[in-house]
Amino acid sequence: MDNTLIEGDWAFQLIDDASVSDKGTFSINDNGVSDLGTDPDLYLIATGNLNDTDGILATPHTDTDGFSLTSLAIAKGLFGEAGITFRGLLNGQVVAVQSVVTTNTSQVVNFTGAGWGALDSIRIETSTSNPDFDVEIDDMVVAAPVAADVSITPSTLGLAEGDSGSTAMNFTVTRSGTTTEGSVVAFSVTGSGATPATASDFGGTLPSGTVLFLPSEVSKTITISVSGDAAPEPNETYNVTLTNVTGANVVAGVAQGTIQNDDPFPTVALATNTLSRAEDQPGLFSFSVTRSGDTSVSSSVAYAVTGSGASPVVTADFSGGVLPSGTVSFAAGETSKTIDFGAAMDSVIEPDESFTLTLSTPVNASLGTSTALGTIENDDFPQITAVSIPDVTMYPGDVVTVTINVVNDAGDTYTNVSGQISGLSLSNLVRVDSTTYSAEFTVPLSSSGVGAAQDHPVSVRIDSSSGVPSALYTTPINQANDPIIAGEVKAIPLLPWPWMLMLGAALAMMVRRKL
């Protein structure tokens, strides 16, 4: 016969010579009636050798959460008295034992000792010297198992993996509450977090198993063996999760382990420290990024451009109207990359503008030189096309207006003039229109003068509103009949003689009053 029979929620297996066997016979007649002696629930007939251990193994079939055994009724059959031993099993281990000698009359066996409150199977065995016996069993009373509270600690644990062999990461499972009975708790390991551990981190298989608590035991250790390696990699995380099997109420059932990398990552660094380009120059800013060390793994770093210095860049200074940013990714074995981006071309007269390129957020890498400086060089300037002065003779004390012609200033009002004409300094720059400005100089009494038929030396520069200077304009002014008279006061026309007498009298009175 098959060595396993199923009746309702129970499976039964024969035991012959202390081992599960298919020898012998038993019958099952669970009719829900107490009828020991006439039609018992279980009738076992054993024929064998003297002093052999024979019997049955009873296990719940559909409800695998375990049970507690309270009582049953038992009587001997046709072959005489028989000693019977009941063994309560939990996770394959005997946790409770009780023996009884059967008689002709029904007797109730109560199971009250430690261990009977949480079982997953029962062995009913002979303990008689008779080689042949039979026994009747009826009215077996079972209930839900007694459960203890179970927790796993610590909630987080991290250890370096090591370069070879394995590293033990120990978690403690504790019981509290009712601990007089046994408990079985299952555990399993799964990868978790942003960089989850995999089977290769544990020798090829994610760990799992069971923890058995015998009655009164309160603490057990789960050891997770982590495989060491010499490969740089991120810290990896995993969860150890407890689930109830029998006699356990899982209170805190998840702990997290972190396999800490202890192998040096490659170093990522900017190889270009400074870089300058004219804003209208074709091409891109190209910064070199290098990776050194163990490059057997992939790596990445983020980069971003920010304005810096006295004249920082703004978004409009770059192609696309945004400050460049992104990620540099290295595949395994790669050692060099470039960060490329372009400056926006414009015709705005502005100072040179500066920025800082910064590396950050390394993944599978450490940072070396992480910043570099860049400059967008202005290539737009005020341009003077001509400088002229009035076509008249100039005397000491004269304020002379100078006309400065420029390329269209596109609405940018130039704010400063510097330089000289014939050694006389210019000042008071005024915008006339987009292509014309005026300035002035004063002919001093000490002027050395410029004679007729001589060129007026010119050295003039103007600045944009942002302080960008023009090129120095040096084309002389050739005005053959327009001398600057040196040390000579401009002649005053003579007045009629009566007016001269009146002027002299007035001056005399002023002198007398002063005196």
Side-chain angles (χ1 to χ4, degrees):
M1 63 172 287
D2 191 341
N3 70 334
T4 303
L5 291 178
I6 297 172
E7 171 71 9
D9 290 335
W10 291 82
F12 297 89
Q13 295 173 280
L14 291 169
I15 298 172
D16 178 51
D17 291 344
S19 300
V20 175
S21 172
D22 58 3
K23 297 179 180 179
T25 62
F26 59 83
S27 62
I28 301 170
N29 182 30
D30 186 5
N31 57 10
V33 178
S34 296
D35 45 13
L36 188 66
T38 58
D39 193 10
D41 292 342
L42 184 63
Y43 184 43
L44 173 64
I45 302 173
T47 58
N49 298 318
L50 185 64
N51 295 323
D52 281 348
T53 299
D54 301 318
I56 59 171
L57 175 66
T59 306
H61 174 60
T62 56
D63 186 355
T64 58
D65 291 338
F67 61 94
S68 62
L69 179 60
T70 302
S71 63
L72 55 75
I74 191 170
K76 77 178 187 67
L78 300 176
F79 299 139
E81 295 181 357
I84 300 295
T85 298
F86 298 91
R87 302 183 190 278
L89 282 78
L90 185 60
N91 202 42
Q93 186 162 336
V94 175
V95 295
V97 179
Q98 188 165 328
S99 297
V100 64
V101 176
T102 61
T103 63
N104 286 325
T105 59
S106 173
Q107 55 184 306
V108 175
V109 181
N110 294 307
F111 300 90
T112 58
W116 295 104
L119 305 172
D120 54 27
S121 60
I122 309 168
R123 291 172 69 108
I124 305 173
E125 302 171 344
T126 65
S127 57
T128 179
S129 59
N130 293 332
D132 303 321
F133 76 98
D134 60 347
V135 67
E136 299 176 359
I137 298 174
D138 204 4
D139 300 333
M140 187 166 68
V141 178
V142 296
V146 176
D149 292 337
V150 176
S151 302
I152 185 171
T153 57
S155 57
T156 57
L157 177 64
L159 288 175
E161 62 185 351
D163 291 336
S164 61
S166 63
T167 297
M169 300 183 72
N170 294 324
F171 296 87
T172 300
V173 182
T174 57
R175 292 199 308 163
S176 59
T178 304
T179 59
T180 55
E181 309 299 331
S183 299
V184 177
V185 180
F187 71 88
S188 59
V189 169
T190 55
S192 63
T195 50
T198 63
S200 62
D201 295 306
F202 305 98
T205 303
L206 289 172
S208 62
T210 57
V211 177
L212 171 64
F213 289 88
L214 297 177
S216 299
E217 289 184 330
V218 295
S219 179
K220 292 286 184 176
T221 298
I222 296 175
T223 297
I224 306 298
S225 294
V226 175
S227 300
D229 61 43
E233 56 195 343
N235 291 345
E236 298 164 302
T237 54
Y238 63 89
N239 287 344
V240 182
T241 303
L242 303 182
T243 53
N244 170 49
V245 175
T246 300
N249 175 34
V250 178
V251 176
V254 179
Q256 185 178 79
T258 300
I259 304 172
Q260 297 171 342
N261 175 64
D262 56 1
D263 302 299
F265 283 117
T267 299
V268 175
L270 281 163
T272 308
N273 294 324
T274 59
L275 197 59
S276 298
R277 292 183 66 86
E279 63 184 352
D280 293 339
Q281 178 182 349
L284 302 172
F285 282 96
S286 186
F287 291 86
S288 179
V289 184
T290 60
R291 192 169 68 136
S292 59
D294 186 346
T295 61
S296 62
V297 296
S298 61
S299 302
S300 67
V301 292
Y303 71 87
V305 167
T306 55
S308 59
S311 299
V313 296
V314 296
T315 56
D317 293 313
F318 294 96
S319 303
V322 295
L323 293 174
S325 63
T327 301
V328 180
S329 297
F330 292 85
E334 289 186 326
T335 58
S336 181
K337 292 283 187 176
T338 59
I339 298 173
D340 301 317
F341 50 86
M345 297 182 181
D346 63 38
S347 58
V348 178
I349 299 172
E350 55 195 347
D352 292 348
E353 295 164 304
S354 302
F355 62 85
T356 300
L357 173 65
T358 303
L359 302 182
S360 64
T361 320
V363 176
N364 291 352
S366 59
L367 289 178
T369 301
S370 60
T371 59
L373 300 179
T375 302
I376 301 176
E377 297 174 336
N378 174 64
D379 54 7
D380 300 297
F381 305 90
Q383 297 182 51
I384 300 174
T385 58
V387 174
S388 61
I389 57 177
D391 189 12
V392 295
T393 299
M394 291 158 279
Y395 293 90
D398 284 348
V399 177
V400 180
T401 297
V402 180
T403 299
I404 302 173
N405 297 110
V406 299
V407 173
N408 194 314
D409 63 15
D412 180 26
T413 299
Y414 302 152
T415 57
N416 185 58
V417 63
S418 60
Q420 297 176 331
I421 294 178
S422 294
L424 305 178
S425 298
L426 302 185
S427 62
N428 299 332
L429 184 68
V430 176
R431 185 178 190 266
V432 178
D433 56 40
S434 62
T435 60
T436 308
Y437 284 75
S438 68
E440 60 187 31
F441 64 84
T442 300
V443 180
L445 292 176
S446 60
S447 170
S448 60
V450 178
Q454 293 183 6
D455 289 341
H456 294 278
V458 174
S459 175
V460 176
R461 193 190 308 272
I462 58 176
D463 296 342
S464 71
S465 61
S466 58
V468 176
S470 68
L472 187 66
Y473 184 86
T474 58
T475 301
I477 299 173
N478 183 359
Q479 293 178 260
N481 298 313
D482 305 322
I484 296 177
I485 304 302
E488 187 176 311
V489 179
K490 187 176 181 180
I492 301 175
L494 292 177
L495 297 174
W497 68 267
W499 291 99
M500 293 292 291
L501 289 175
M502 293 174 64
L503 177 62
L507 289 172
M509 292 177 64
M510 292 174 63
V511 170
R512 284 197 297 272
R513 288 194 186 100
K514 184 175 182 182
L515 295 173

